[in-house]
């Protein structure tokens, strides 16, 4: 039960009765209803100014007409002030309604079935083989992972795809370097870093001996031709990269349904190129083939090089067709940094020009850059931060804090992992995704700010209250005790959770949930510090406050789950 929704439904009914055929629907009203900053102006308010145009009546008149008809169990009274309809809720009824709704669906409050029978593909993380996983990959990985959970929560079938970057001439060079200077055990033990070292060595040597470049190209040709030795080394490079990366995915709790990357589409591009050709979309340009997009204010998209080689976008075209046929997606999201805006605009436009209107379900979910302690990352300047190192450092720091604050906590290692990783993930998903982020330790791990540890700590606080309550035999709750402003603010925040989840999904914006959950934790703490939860002289009131705590705990936990952050029960 979402309070605002209930009120909106009620007003819609009244409007239909007052102004026949006015067509004012619940959704419109949801957009218009406000929450007054001052509780004296009601728990909700409907400004009627915008309505006066469509209904051809003065705003005061509309407010008065609606006020006369409006009546439901949740509403205590209404007031008409200026052009506003101010609505005061029957607080104890409302408290009972919200709490019971949350507790009747443990872990599922806020979920829906709007996605039933629909499929969404999510392309995220999409790492490059033989490159180390650095913090620039955190956002794609976590936004994608969170969106997958959010869509799941709304009934969609989800397909998580790690579109591996496993194609390109650099792999020929790497094999060449490996054959010359590498050895099996070094790569097996050194992992991706050993491959990177080989690649660096290749370039250093090629400066002195340009013939190496040709050798590198020859090895890539072998990969293209499916040569047995080249393929065996190449597959092994992939395996080593994925094994290295898996450690990070395990820390983050991230999974995929498919690892079909660029190489997978090698034998699937011909039909796409043929169709482009057939539809007259390919133009010769200096021996290469391009799709002209100047009518759409974009540079031409290069689809085939003059030597016949395919490109990143050719593979993405083939991947789009494959996903369309294989998964019959309703939506296909690409969680990729905004630097690739043009690439995706070109990709979608080409599919549009080919006449495939399923491209409308495709969306580039872009995000900003990450810097570290005030400095932009740069491989060239050697300023890189590897994700695994960052996570391990966060765990170590969390461990120190726990050691200091709660030395007697059982399974400190496990909690340190949950808190350390949670702090990093939360930090990443806290701001609008298109904003650049500057990672700062003192902001990520602060137990008092708007941080993961703060929210997790509040969750653990709720759990501790509930553990104490378990030992008591409590009667039926008396919700009349939840009429104060702090309880009201907390209940309203809880009741807005379903709407927040829907908005987060519609905008592909997990940060809406992060911020909602933070505000919920703040509202609970405010309540907790101003009210005594356990009061032996008032068991029925205690039962109500305990149930409020349970509802808050549940919604915080669900919110954290949806952004991919764990919620320890003790901290
Ligand atoms: N591997 C690419 C990169 O690191 C991202 C791939 C994104 N997905 C896609 N279908 N293009 O830049």
């Amino acid at each position: 039960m979402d309070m605002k929704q209930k009120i909106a439904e009620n007003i819609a009914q009244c409007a239909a009765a007052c102004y026949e055929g006015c067509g004012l629907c619940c959704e419109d009203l949801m957009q218009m209803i406000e929450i007054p900053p001052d509780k004296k102006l009601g728990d909700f308010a409907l400004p009627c100014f915008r309505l006066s145009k469509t209904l051809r009546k003065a705003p005061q008149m509309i407010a008065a007409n609606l006020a006369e008809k409006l009546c439901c169990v949740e509403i205590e009274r209404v007031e008409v002030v200026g052009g506003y309809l101010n609505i005061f809720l029957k607080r104890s009824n409302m408290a009972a309604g919200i709490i019971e709704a949350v507790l009747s669906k443990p872990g599922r409050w806020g979920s829906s079935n709007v996605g039933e029978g629909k499929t969404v593909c999510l392309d995220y993380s999409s790492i490059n083989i033989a490159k180390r996983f650095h913090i620039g990959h955190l956002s794609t990985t976590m936004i994608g992972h969170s969106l997958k959970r959010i869509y799941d929560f709304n009934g969609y079938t989800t397909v998580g795809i790690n579109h591996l970057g496993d194609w390109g001439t650099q792999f020929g060079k790497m094999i060449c370097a490996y054959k010359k200077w590498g050895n099996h055990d070094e790569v097996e033990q050194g992992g991706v870093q050993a491959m990177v070292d080989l690649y660096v060595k290749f370039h250093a040597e090629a400066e002195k001996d340009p013939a190496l470049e040709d050798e590198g190209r020859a090895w890539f040709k072998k990969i293209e031709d499916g040569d047995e030795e080249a393929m065996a080394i190449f597959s092994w490079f992939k395996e080593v990269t994925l094994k290295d990366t898996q450690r990070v995915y395990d820390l983050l709790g991230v999974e995929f349904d498919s690892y079909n990357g660029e190489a997978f589409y090698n034998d699937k591009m011909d039909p796409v190129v043929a169709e482009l050709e057939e539809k007259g979309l390919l133009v010769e340009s200096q021996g290469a083939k391009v799709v002209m997009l100047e009518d759409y204010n974009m540079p031409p998209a290069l689809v085939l090089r003059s030597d016949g080689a395919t490109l990143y976008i050719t593979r993405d075209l083939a991947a789009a067709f494959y996903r369309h046929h294989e998964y019959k997606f309703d939506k296909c999201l690409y969680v990729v940094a905004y630097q690739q805006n043009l690439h995706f605009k070109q990709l979608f436009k080409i599919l549009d020009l080919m006449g495939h209107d399923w491209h409308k379900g495709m969306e580039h979910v872009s995000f900003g850059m990450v810097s570290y302690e005030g400095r932009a990352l740069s491989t060239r300047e050697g300023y890189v931060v590897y994700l695994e190192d960052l996570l391990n450092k966060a765990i170590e720091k969390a461990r120190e804090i726990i050691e200091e604050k709660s030395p007697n906590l059982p399974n400190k290692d496990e909690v340190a992992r949950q808190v350390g990783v949670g702090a990093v993930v939360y930090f990443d998903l806290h701001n609008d995704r298109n904003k650049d982020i500057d990672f700062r330790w003192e902001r990520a791990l602060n137990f008092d700010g708007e941080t993961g540890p703060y929210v997790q700590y509040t969750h653990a606080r709720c759990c501790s209250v509930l553990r104490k309550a378990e030992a008591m035999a409590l009667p039926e709750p008396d919700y009349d005790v939840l009429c104060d402003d702090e309880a009201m603010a907390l209940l309203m925040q809880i009741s807005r959770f379903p709407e927040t989840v829907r908005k987060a999904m519609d905008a592909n914006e997990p940060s809406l949930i992060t911020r909602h959950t933070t505000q919920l934790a703040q509202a609970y703490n405010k309540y907790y510090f101003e009210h005594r939860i356990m009061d032996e002289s008032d068991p029925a009131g205690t039962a109500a406050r305990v149930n409020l705590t349970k509802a808050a705990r549940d919604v915080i936990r669900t919110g954290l789950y949806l952004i991919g952050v764990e919620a320890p029960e003790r901290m």
Side-chain angles (χ1 to χ4, degrees), residues 26 72 147 160 169 174 213 247 250 269 273 283 412 440 443 468 474 501 506:
C26 181
C72 67
L147 289 176
T169 47
M174 229 168 264
E213 292 284 350
R247 286 199 306 274
D250 286 345
M269 285 175 284
V273 174
V283 175
K412 276 185 264 195
R440 303 240 178 194
R443 267 196 259 139
K468 279 184 210 127
L474 291 170
V501 172
D506 293 343

Side-chain angles (χ1 to χ4, degrees), residues 123-129 131 137 140 161-166 262 312 315-316 319 323 333-337 340 343-344 347:
D123 178 323
Y124 60 103
S125 204
S126 300
I127 51 160
N128 298 320
I129 297 304
K131 289 233 179 85
H137 297 119
T140 167
I161 304 170
N162 198 330
H163 183 83
L164 300 178
D166 53 3
E262 295 191 44
Y312 182 50
R315 290 160 199 290
D316 257 330
R323 291 173 191 175
L333 308 180
Y334 295 86
V335 187
V336 185
Q340 294 192 29
H343 168 77
F344 287 104
L347 175 67

Side-chain angles (χ1 to χ4, degrees), residues 121-166:
C121 290
L122 300 108
D123 178 323
Y124 60 103
S125 204
S126 300
I127 51 160
N128 298 320
I129 297 304
K131 289 233 179 85
R132 283 195 68 181
F133 207 156
H134 63 78
I135 65 172
H137 297 119
L138 179 62
S139 299
T140 167
T141 307
M142 291 321 298
I143 294 171
H145 177 61
S146 168
L147 289 176
K148 189 170 194 287
R149 287 190 169 175
I150 295 170
Y151 278 93
D152 259 329
F153 199 59
N154 282 286
Y156 279 87
T157 300
T158 57
V159 187
I161 304 170
N162 198 330
H163 183 83
L164 300 178
D166 53 3

Side-chain angles (χ1 to χ4, degrees), residues 247-291:
R247 286 199 306 274
V248 179
Y249 288 146
D250 286 345
L251 278 176
L252 294 170
V254 171
E255 291 158 351
F256 300 91
D257 302 299
S258 160
Y259 284 87
N260 288 338
E262 295 191 44
F264 177 77
Y265 297 102
N266 266 338
D267 59 354
K268 299 177 181 60
M269 285 175 284
D270 289 350
V272 185
V273 174
E275 186 181 329
L276 282 168
E277 198 92 67
E278 196 183 298
K279 294 188 168 157
L281 291 165
L282 279 190
V283 175
E284 284 251 355
S285 163
Q286 295 162 1
K289 304 224 166 159
V290 302
V291 179

